[in-house]
């Protein structure tokens, strides 16, 4: 039985999942977090689901060595490919980011036309469309893969003319679809929110699934009696691990989570 004061495990292929970790930190400031970014194997979005499932299993095995009480797959691609496969193997709660994003988008849309941008893997899986249609059949869903945005974010090119040009090409196709809501269906993309927002215009509401994911996590922890009861202000709450180049990750993470990132440890994820 997991301990309520154990950490929450959060992972992504790289830095994108920090957008979800940041929201968990905001909503549950006393909770401890172990974050893993698979920087040696990013991007996941152009890999097969079998490969992403194998990576996900290895990361879960690593997180279990850290005695986590719950796991958040802070990656749309891994949620799309692996959540249903791995959730039955575990005796702790595990959630992804897709249901949260779908729910928020349905609440936001007025004209019933929702767009999704994500990796090739996420869009190809059709999982957002399936989940949205299960909730509201009449909604029109248009997906657009934007594979180059992930390496641009990993390189820190958040405000750059190259990123602008590439995002503009990807988004032009969605502009003709009259969507009023766009899901940022990759956890890297909220870091490009201002660029995407400017290109889509003020009439399109951007949905970042991170906020709803943190809410869902809180609810799941409550249901399982797993909300921590310690005062987080006195402990070293956040631990970061990567599979490659710890220093690069630390400086990027420190710019997103000011004051929270002291060091990052590199591990060999293939050993798990
Ligand atoms: N940030 C991830 C996602 O939400 C993965 C990006 C990638 O590795 O391609 O899909």
């Amino acid at each position: 039985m997991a301990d309520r004061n154990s950490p929450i495990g959060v992972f992504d292929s790289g830095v994108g999942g920090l957008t979800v970790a940041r929201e968990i930190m905001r909503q549950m400031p006393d909770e401890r977090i172990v974050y893993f970014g698979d920087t040696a194997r990013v991007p996941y979005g152009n890999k097969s689901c079998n490969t992403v499932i194998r990576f996900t299993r290895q990361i879960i095995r690593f997180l279990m060595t850290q005695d986590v009480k719950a796991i958040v797959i802070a990656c749309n691609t891994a949620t799309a490919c692996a959540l249903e496969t791995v959730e039955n193997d575990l005796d702790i709660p595990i959630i992804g980011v897709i249901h949260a994003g779908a729910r928020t988008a349905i609440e936001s849309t007025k004209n019933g036309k929702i767009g999704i941008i994500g990796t090739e893997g996420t869009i190809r899986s059709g999982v957002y469309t399936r989940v949205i249609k299960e909730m509201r059949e009449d909604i029109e869903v248009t997906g657009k893969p934007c594979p180059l945005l992930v390496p641009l974010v990993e390189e820190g090119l958040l405000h750059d003319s190259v990123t602008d040009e590439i995002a503009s090409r990807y988004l032009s196709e969605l502009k003709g679809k009259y969507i009023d809501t766009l899901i940022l269906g990759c956890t890297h993309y909220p870091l490009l929110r201002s660029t995407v927002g400017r290109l889509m215009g003020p009439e399109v509401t951007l949905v970042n699934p991170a906020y709803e994911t943190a809410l869902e996590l809180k609810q799941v922890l409550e249901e399982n009696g797993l909300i921590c009861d310690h005062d987080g202000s006195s402990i070293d709450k956040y631990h970061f691990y990567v599979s490659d180049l710890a220093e690069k990750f630390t400086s990027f993470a420190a710019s997103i989570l000011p004051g929270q990132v002291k060091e990052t440890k590199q591990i060999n994820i293939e050993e798990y």
Side-chain angles (χ1 to χ4, degrees):
M1 181 65 192
D3 185 305
R4 58 167 60 234
N5 290 322
S6 291
I8 298 158
V10 179
F11 75 89
D12 178 44
S13 59
V15 297
L18 293 170
T19 60
V20 179
R22 176 171 64 183
E23 202 48 52
I24 297 170
M25 291 170 186
R26 267 194 206 129
Q27 292 187 32
M28 287 170 276
D30 289 325
E31 293 290 348
R32 295 164 60 203
I33 293 175
V34 175
Y35 183 92
F36 177 77
D38 200 357
T39 50
R41 305 188 292 196
V42 64
Y44 282 7
N46 57 7
K47 300 195 168 63
S48 70
C49 266
N50 279 344
T51 298
V52 175
I53 290 170
R54 183 169 71 80
F55 292 171
T56 301
R57 286 203 161 115
Q58 287 177 321
I59 296 166
I60 289 173
R61 281 196 283 270
F62 162 67
L63 290 172
M64 295 307 281
T65 67
Q66 304 299 302
D67 282 331
V68 295
K69 63 181 175 186
I71 293 177
V72 179
I73 306 185
C75 172
N76 289 264
T77 314
T79 303
C81 284
L83 177 60
E84 280 179 17
T85 308
V86 299
E87 66 188 346
N88 295 326
D89 304 346
L90 290 174
D91 57 3
I92 58 167
I94 179 164
I95 64 167
V97 283
I98 288 180
H99 276 82
R103 247 191 331 264
T104 316
I106 289 172
E107 278 161 21
S108 147
T109 186
K110 296 201 172 50
N111 72 1
K113 295 184 201 301
I114 295 175
I116 300 150
I117 51 174
T119 66
E120 269 161 356
T122 300
I123 302 300
R124 191 180 51 225
S125 76
V127 64
Y128 265 109
T129 309
R130 175 165 58 78
V131 170
I132 289 172
K133 295 264 185 202
E134 273 164 17
M135 294 178 190
R136 252 190 69 184
E137 207 183 319
D138 60 310
I139 299 232
E140 206 176 289
V141 186
T142 309
K144 174 73 188 164
C146 305
L148 290 174
L149 298 187
V150 169
L152 289 167
V153 169
E154 290 284 327
E155 286 305 316
L157 298 173
L158 304 185
H159 306 282
D160 193 280
S161 56
V162 174
T163 308
D164 255 45
E165 167 64 24
I166 290 171
S168 161
R169 285 205 208 178
Y170 284 141
L171 296 174
S172 61
E173 196 180 302
L174 284 175
K175 291 200 81 159
K177 302 282 180 187
Y178 303 104
I179 57 166
D180 70 352
T181 300
L182 178 63
I183 302 176
L184 304 175
C186 170
T187 52
H188 284 70
Y189 299 172
L191 298 166
L192 301 175
R193 189 180 186 115
S194 59
T195 304
V196 174
R198 178 168 33 79
L199 292 168
M200 291 309 291
E203 60 286 354
V204 176
T205 303
L206 302 185
V207 170
N208 170 7
Y211 176 78
E212 279 278 329
T213 301
L215 276 183
E216 185 181 330
L217 173 66
K218 192 170 183 192
Q219 195 184 337
V220 168
L221 294 180
E222 273 163 6
E223 283 165 7
N224 288 276
L226 288 174
I227 295 275
C228 72
D229 59 10
H230 58 221
D231 169 13
S233 59
S234 57
I235 50 172
D236 190 10
K237 279 179 302 200
Y238 306 133
H239 294 269
F240 298 89
Y241 295 86
V242 288
S243 46
D244 201 4
L245 292 182
E247 274 165 34
K248 188 176 170 203
F249 180 92
T250 303
S251 58
F252 192 100
S255 69
I256 298 173
L257 308 169
Q260 315 286 27
V261 190
K262 292 197 191 81
E263 61 155 348
T264 306
K265 294 195 182 94
Q266 186 176 340
I267 59 157
N268 181 0
I269 195 65
E270 295 288 0
E271 281 175 1
Y272 290 87

